[in-house]
């Protein structure tokens, strides 16, 4: 579904990704890990074409990802939830969902409410007054409203209490299993995430230094210094 071939990415003179190659199959749940500054966000940005200075090739289904053309690339069914809370704070929960689904099917909000019942309960509440975890769920729900085939999530559980982290990660797994959405998730909550993904990719200084079953990473404690 997604093919990344020998990608180098730069910010000005600073090269952040070095010869990154990977393939993601349709329906996979993949975690991306690595230290702060390893290039995780840059990799996700590259996948939607948000890194203008890119060498190498990225293909999504039959489409080449064109650097600098995010609005066109995402039309092919890529949902991207960037780092940080991404909701319209002055609008209600339901308005946020409906705006996100404007180009698609606003009625799909009912399905999203089924996945995150707390959003249904709070559908009239202003998004800015939701708790951090609820805002993360709403941001995820908004991405789902675009009916993506591939969902890119950049640290969706940052700042959440451990029990909420588990809830959000379990919801992401449920989205993958029930909707068939392919999920690529960048996470600092490595242990909790490894239990919910099938495959792990570890970046170090912009290079892929591990790509294999998440179980292998869970078992091989000698690899844990990598993140
Ligand atoms: N817009 C930018 N301009 C210049 N340098 C940048 C820019 N964005 C990121 N960088 C640099 O690129 C490197 C990789 O950053 P990136 O955001 O991809 O890391 P990350 O793995 O997502 O880190 P974190 O875990 O802290 O989110 C870092 O050294 C960072 O300082
Ligand atoms: Mg990041």
């Amino acid at each position: 579904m997604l093919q990344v071939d020998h990608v180098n990415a730069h910010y000005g003179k600073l090269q952040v990704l070095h010869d990154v190659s990977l393939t993601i199959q349709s329906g996979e749940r993949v975690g991306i890990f690595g230290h702060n500054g390893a290039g995780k966000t840059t990799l996700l940005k590259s996948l939607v074409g948000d890194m203008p200075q890119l060498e190498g090739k990225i293909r999504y289904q039959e489409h080449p990802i064109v650097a600098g053309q995010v609005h066109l690339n995402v039309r092919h069914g890529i949902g991207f939830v960037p780092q940080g809370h991404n909701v319209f704070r002055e609008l209600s929960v339901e308005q946020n969902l409906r705006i996100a689904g404007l180009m698609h099917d606003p009625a799909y909000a009912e399905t999203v409410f089924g996945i995150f019942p707390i959003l249904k309960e709070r559908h009239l509440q202003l998004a800015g007054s939701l708790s951090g975890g609820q805002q993360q769920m709403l941001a995820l729900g908004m991405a789902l409203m675009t009916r993506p085939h591939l969902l890119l999530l950049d640290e969706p559980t940052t700042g959440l209490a451990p029990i909420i982290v588990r809830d959000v990660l379990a919801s992401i797994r449920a989205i993958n299993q029930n909707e068939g959405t392919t999920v690529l998730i960048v996470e600092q909550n490595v242990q909790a995430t490894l239990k919910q993904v099938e495959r792990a990719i570890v970046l170090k200084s912009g290079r892929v230094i591990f790509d294999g079953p998440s179980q292998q990473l869970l078992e091989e404690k000698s690899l844990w210094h990598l993140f």
Side-chain angles (χ1 to χ4, degrees), residues 11 14 16 34-42 45 83 155 188:
Y11 295 104
L14 176 70
V16 173
H35 291 297
N36 294 121
K40 305 178 299 293
T41 295
T42 304
K45 282 165 72 178
Q83 239 169 327
E155 302 198 17
Q188 303 274 1

Side-chain angles (χ1 to χ4, degrees), residues 4 12 40 45 62 74-75 78 82 85 89-90 108 127 131 152 161 165 168 170 173 175 178 188-189 210 213 223:
V4 177
K40 305 178 299 293
K45 282 165 72 178
E62 67 274 27
V74 296
R75 261 189 223 170
I78 306 177
H85 297 154
R89 300 176 58 85
E90 305 303 321
Y108 190 71
S131 75
L152 307 176
V165 168
V168 171
R173 182 182 188 150
I175 290 161
N178 301 339
Q188 303 274 1
N189 287 307
F210 178 89
L223 294 173

Side-chain angles (χ1 to χ4, degrees), residues 36-222:
N36 294 121
K40 305 178 299 293
T41 295
T42 304
L43 175 58
L44 291 193
K45 282 165 72 178
S46 301
L47 299 181
V48 291
D50 197 15
M51 289 298 296
Q53 288 177 278
L54 193 100
E55 293 156 9
K57 279 206 189 103
I58 303 177
R59 284 188 78 77
Y60 170 69
Q61 293 173 336
E62 67 274 27
H63 313 284
I65 294 294
V66 187
Q69 302 284 323
V70 181
H71 60 294
L72 294 181
N73 297 323
V74 296
R75 261 189 223 170
H76 301 307
I78 306 177
F80 185 18
V81 183
Q83 239 169 327
H85 297 154
N86 301 284
V87 299
F88 299 107
R89 300 176 58 85
E90 305 303 321
L91 299 180
S92 75
V93 167
E94 183 154 5
Q95 285 168 329
N96 268 277
L97 290 176
R98 289 186 175 271
I99 282 177
L102 222 48
M103 307 290 282
H104 305 269
D105 175 14
Y108 190 71
E110 286 309 318
T111 307
V112 172
F113 285 144
I115 298 169
F116 300 113
I118 186 72
L119 297 182
K120 172 91 180 164
E121 233 171 81
R122 304 296 177 86
H123 70 287
L124 294 178
Q125 187 172 332
L126 290 187
S129 66
L130 294 173
S131 75
Q134 292 164 350
Q135 288 191 29
Q136 289 290 16
M137 291 179 203
L138 179 56
L140 258 170
M142 289 168 72
L144 291 180
M145 289 299 292
T146 68
R147 311 296 303 274
H149 300 298
L150 172 63
L151 192 52
L152 307 176
L153 306 169
D154 199 352
E155 302 198 17
T157 71
T158 304
L160 305 182
I163 185 157
I164 314 282
V165 168
R166 261 175 298 174
D167 276 359
V168 171
L169 291 173
S171 311
I172 291 166
R173 182 182 188 150
I175 290 161
N176 163 268
Q177 289 178 329
N178 301 339
E179 309 279 311
T181 313
T182 308
V183 173
L184 212 55
I185 177 170
V186 168
E187 262 299 339
Q188 303 274 1
N189 287 307
V190 179
Q191 291 214 43
T193 307
L194 280 174
K195 291 183 189 139
Q196 300 289 358
V197 295
E198 306 153 302
R199 177 177 156 201
I201 292 172
V202 181
L203 288 180
K204 186 180 181 193
S205 307
R207 294 173 202 275
V208 175
I209 52 167
F210 178 89
D211 183 349
S214 46
Q215 194 58 33
Q216 189 181 340
L217 208 52
L218 266 175
E219 285 164 8
E220 286 185 36
K221 294 213 163 64
S222 63

